[in-house]
Amino acid sequence: MDPGTGGRALVPAGVRALGAAGSRTLVAVLGAGVLLLPAALAPAPVGWSVVVALVVIIWCLLVAGAGGTARGGAVGFVRRRLGFRAARVVTGLYFAGFATGQAAVALTAGEFAARVSGDAFVWAVAALLAAATWATYRPRPLSTPVRRLRLAAVLTAAGGWWALGGAPDATASWWVLLPLLFGWVGIEGSVPGRAGLTGPGFEGSAPGRAGLTGTLLGVTAAAALYAVLLRPPAPLADLPLAPLALLSALVLALYCRTNLQATGARWHELTGRPQAEGTATAATLALVTLTLAHLAGGTTAVLLLLPGSATAAILAVVAVAAVRTLTNRPKEKSHDHDHHRPLEGAARPRR
């Protein structure tokens, strides 16, 4: 083989691996949080976003050194290193975090809808019940074009509120570090190992360094976006709010539907019972959480403490598994014969 030809072939492979890893990271991380976090927490100092981003980057480097979570997700990573019980704990944290998190999503959707007319709590309950009904009786996942359109819509809505000087009724908080972790749900199952990545978009022997670099670039880009959205500029005057408010409420309700569906899948992994039952259970838990927050005068920022805590706990368990791998370096055994177990192929939750 001509050395020059081999060199030219290797460079595109590395670039493809870097770009695919970066885009996968952005798709995994960006979701309802792009609109929800600014609505609940802005204006927030840039330093808080930087602290969270640095923690996530350090965590990614640690997990990448232990093999990464891109294959099998966080649940599979923990199960192979800490055992089946620890993996069930992670799945339980997913269920609890996503179920209670939908209370925050629904409340914010209701607050946006109330900008047009009506009561925010009534709209929030309506959005939650509609999302739960859709997720239960039409469980088919959204198509790829619809998911792309939804991401474009939430980014458009977030940018619109940013240009207006922030989302309506935004409140500052001194303890936003934990709620900010809600915006990073998805990263826990997207970290490649340093040996390289496999899967759709990573065919061939993509260099591990390029894949990891792409993931870190994706994390940095997402962190920069959050930092900007959480520090809106001076508001613009005399702009129509109703279309933007309705778009925001609709896209958050759509994310709520997808999240409830993913939570139902976690329920099935935990109990073996039907996914529809899990969706109904998650919706009930979200409704109870939403009602209690309403009666106590709680805000979206307070509600975000619940999914934020669950996310922090998941990252901590994965970090413990990574440290154990790096310190002990056990020879991993194949678990192909366990693929019938629900937890084996636990996918990253969609938001």
PDB file of all heavy atoms in Angstrom, residues 45-55 180 223 227:
ATOM      1  N   PRO A  45     -25.225  33.123  36.686  1.00  0.00           N
ATOM      2  CA  PRO A  45     -23.834  33.471  36.345  1.00  0.00           C
ATOM      3  C   PRO A  45     -23.199  32.423  35.445  1.00  0.00           C
ATOM      4  O   PRO A  45     -23.452  31.219  35.594  1.00  0.00           O
ATOM      5  CB  PRO A  45     -23.144  33.515  37.716  1.00  0.00           C
ATOM      6  CG  PRO A  45     -24.242  33.775  38.687  1.00  0.00           C
ATOM      7  CD  PRO A  45     -25.444  33.075  38.136  1.00  0.00           C
ATOM      8  N   VAL A  46     -22.385  32.877  34.518  1.00  0.00           N
ATOM      9  CA  VAL A  46     -21.709  31.967  33.599  1.00  0.00           C
ATOM     10  C   VAL A  46     -20.835  30.973  34.369  1.00  0.00           C
ATOM     11  O   VAL A  46     -20.686  29.816  33.961  1.00  0.00           O
ATOM     12  CB  VAL A  46     -20.855  32.764  32.591  1.00  0.00           C
ATOM     13  CG1 VAL A  46     -20.033  31.828  31.720  1.00  0.00           C
ATOM     14  CG2 VAL A  46     -21.744  33.652  31.731  1.00  0.00           C
ATOM     15  N   GLY A  47     -20.290  31.408  35.492  1.00  0.00           N
ATOM     16  CA  GLY A  47     -19.425  30.531  36.272  1.00  0.00           C
ATOM     17  C   GLY A  47     -20.100  29.258  36.713  1.00  0.00           C
ATOM     18  O   GLY A  47     -19.456  28.201  36.795  1.00  0.00           O
ATOM     19  N   TRP A  48     -21.402  29.321  36.975  1.00  0.00           N
ATOM     20  CA  TRP A  48     -22.103  28.107  37.395  1.00  0.00           C
ATOM     21  C   TRP A  48     -22.155  27.090  36.252  1.00  0.00           C
ATOM     22  O   TRP A  48     -21.968  25.896  36.454  1.00  0.00           O
ATOM     23  CB  TRP A  48     -23.517  28.452  37.858  1.00  0.00           C
ATOM     24  CG  TRP A  48     -23.524  29.273  39.116  1.00  0.00           C
ATOM     25  CD1 TRP A  48     -22.462  29.510  39.944  1.00  0.00           C
ATOM     26  CD2 TRP A  48     -24.623  29.985  39.661  1.00  0.00           C
ATOM     27  NE1 TRP A  48     -22.848  30.320  40.986  1.00  0.00           N
ATOM     28  CE2 TRP A  48     -24.162  30.630  40.843  1.00  0.00           C
ATOM     29  CE3 TRP A  48     -25.953  30.155  39.288  1.00  0.00           C
ATOM     30  CZ2 TRP A  48     -24.992  31.407  41.631  1.00  0.00           C
ATOM     31  CZ3 TRP A  48     -26.776  30.935  40.082  1.00  0.00           C
ATOM     32  CH2 TRP A  48     -26.309  31.545  41.232  1.00  0.00           C
ATOM     33  N   SER A  49     -22.420  27.576  35.042  1.00  0.00           N
ATOM     34  CA  SER A  49     -22.422  26.685  33.879  1.00  0.00           C
ATOM     35  C   SER A  49     -21.033  26.101  33.631  1.00  0.00           C
ATOM     36  O   SER A  49     -20.891  24.934  33.260  1.00  0.00           O
ATOM     37  CB  SER A  49     -22.897  27.445  32.636  1.00  0.00           C
ATOM     38  OG  SER A  49     -24.207  27.922  32.801  1.00  0.00           O
ATOM     39  N   VAL A  50     -19.996  26.919  33.839  1.00  0.00           N
ATOM     40  CA  VAL A  50     -18.625  26.444  33.651  1.00  0.00           C
ATOM     41  C   VAL A  50     -18.283  25.355  34.658  1.00  0.00           C
ATOM     42  O   VAL A  50     -17.662  24.338  34.305  1.00  0.00           O
ATOM     43  CB  VAL A  50     -17.636  27.621  33.775  1.00  0.00           C
ATOM     44  CG1 VAL A  50     -16.195  27.120  33.767  1.00  0.00           C
ATOM     45  CG2 VAL A  50     -17.853  28.624  32.641  1.00  0.00           C
ATOM     46  N   VAL A  51     -18.691  25.522  35.908  1.00  0.00           N
ATOM     47  CA  VAL A  51     -18.412  24.509  36.934  1.00  0.00           C
ATOM     48  C   VAL A  51     -19.047  23.186  36.558  1.00  0.00           C
ATOM     49  O   VAL A  51     -18.412  22.121  36.613  1.00  0.00           O
ATOM     50  CB  VAL A  51     -18.919  24.989  38.303  1.00  0.00           C
ATOM     51  CG1 VAL A  51     -18.896  23.847  39.317  1.00  0.00           C
ATOM     52  CG2 VAL A  51     -18.063  26.141  38.811  1.00  0.00           C
ATOM     53  N   VAL A  52     -20.322  23.212  36.172  1.00  0.00           N
ATOM     54  CA  VAL A  52     -21.016  21.979  35.797  1.00  0.00           C
ATOM     55  C   VAL A  52     -20.347  21.340  34.587  1.00  0.00           C
ATOM     56  O   VAL A  52     -20.161  20.119  34.530  1.00  0.00           O
ATOM     57  CB  VAL A  52     -22.506  22.256  35.516  1.00  0.00           C
ATOM     58  CG1 VAL A  52     -23.197  21.006  35.000  1.00  0.00           C
ATOM     59  CG2 VAL A  52     -23.202  22.750  36.781  1.00  0.00           C
ATOM     60  N   ALA A  53     -19.976  22.162  33.593  1.00  0.00           N
ATOM     61  CA  ALA A  53     -19.329  21.629  32.395  1.00  0.00           C
ATOM     62  C   ALA A  53     -17.990  20.974  32.731  1.00  0.00           C
ATOM     63  O   ALA A  53     -17.662  19.905  32.192  1.00  0.00           O
ATOM     64  CB  ALA A  53     -19.137  22.737  31.371  1.00  0.00           C
ATOM     65  N   LEU A  54     -17.208  21.584  33.607  1.00  0.00           N
ATOM     66  CA  LEU A  54     -15.926  20.997  33.988  1.00  0.00           C
ATOM     67  C   LEU A  54     -16.121  19.662  34.708  1.00  0.00           C
ATOM     68  O   LEU A  54     -15.369  18.710  34.477  1.00  0.00           O
ATOM     69  CB  LEU A  54     -15.159  21.974  34.880  1.00  0.00           C
ATOM     70  CG  LEU A  54     -14.573  23.204  34.183  1.00  0.00           C
ATOM     71  CD1 LEU A  54     -13.910  24.125  35.203  1.00  0.00           C
ATOM     72  CD2 LEU A  54     -13.570  22.796  33.111  1.00  0.00           C
ATOM     73  N   VAL A  55     -17.123  19.600  35.564  1.00  0.00           N
ATOM     74  CA  VAL A  55     -17.414  18.330  36.252  1.00  0.00           C
ATOM     75  C   VAL A  55     -17.776  17.253  35.230  1.00  0.00           C
ATOM     76  O   VAL A  55     -17.302  16.111  35.309  1.00  0.00           O
ATOM     77  CB  VAL A  55     -18.550  18.527  37.263  1.00  0.00           C
ATOM     78  CG1 VAL A  55     -19.036  17.177  37.802  1.00  0.00           C
ATOM     79  CG2 VAL A  55     -18.097  19.413  38.418  1.00  0.00           C
ATOM     80  N   LEU A 180     -29.037  22.220  37.316  1.00  0.00           N
ATOM     81  CA  LEU A 180     -28.409  22.311  35.998  1.00  0.00           C
ATOM     82  C   LEU A 180     -28.033  20.951  35.430  1.00  0.00           C
ATOM     83  O   LEU A 180     -27.933  20.784  34.213  1.00  0.00           O
ATOM     84  CB  LEU A 180     -27.159  23.195  36.072  1.00  0.00           C
ATOM     85  CG  LEU A 180     -27.364  24.706  35.932  1.00  0.00           C
ATOM     86  CD1 LEU A 180     -26.057  25.441  36.111  1.00  0.00           C
ATOM     87  CD2 LEU A 180     -27.998  25.053  34.598  1.00  0.00           C
ATOM     88  N   ALA A 223     -22.282  23.140  26.645  1.00  0.00           N
ATOM     89  CA  ALA A 223     -22.064  24.007  27.804  1.00  0.00           C
ATOM     90  C   ALA A 223     -22.091  25.476  27.407  1.00  0.00           C
ATOM     91  O   ALA A 223     -22.658  26.318  28.123  1.00  0.00           O
ATOM     92  CB  ALA A 223     -20.726  23.664  28.468  1.00  0.00           C
ATOM     93  N   ALA A 227     -24.693  28.280  28.762  1.00  0.00           N
ATOM     94  CA  ALA A 227     -24.187  29.500  29.392  1.00  0.00           C
ATOM     95  C   ALA A 227     -24.792  30.740  28.746  1.00  0.00           C
ATOM     96  O   ALA A 227     -25.145  31.712  29.436  1.00  0.00           O
ATOM     97  CB  ALA A 227     -22.666  29.540  29.300  1.00  0.00           C
TER      98      ALA A 227
END
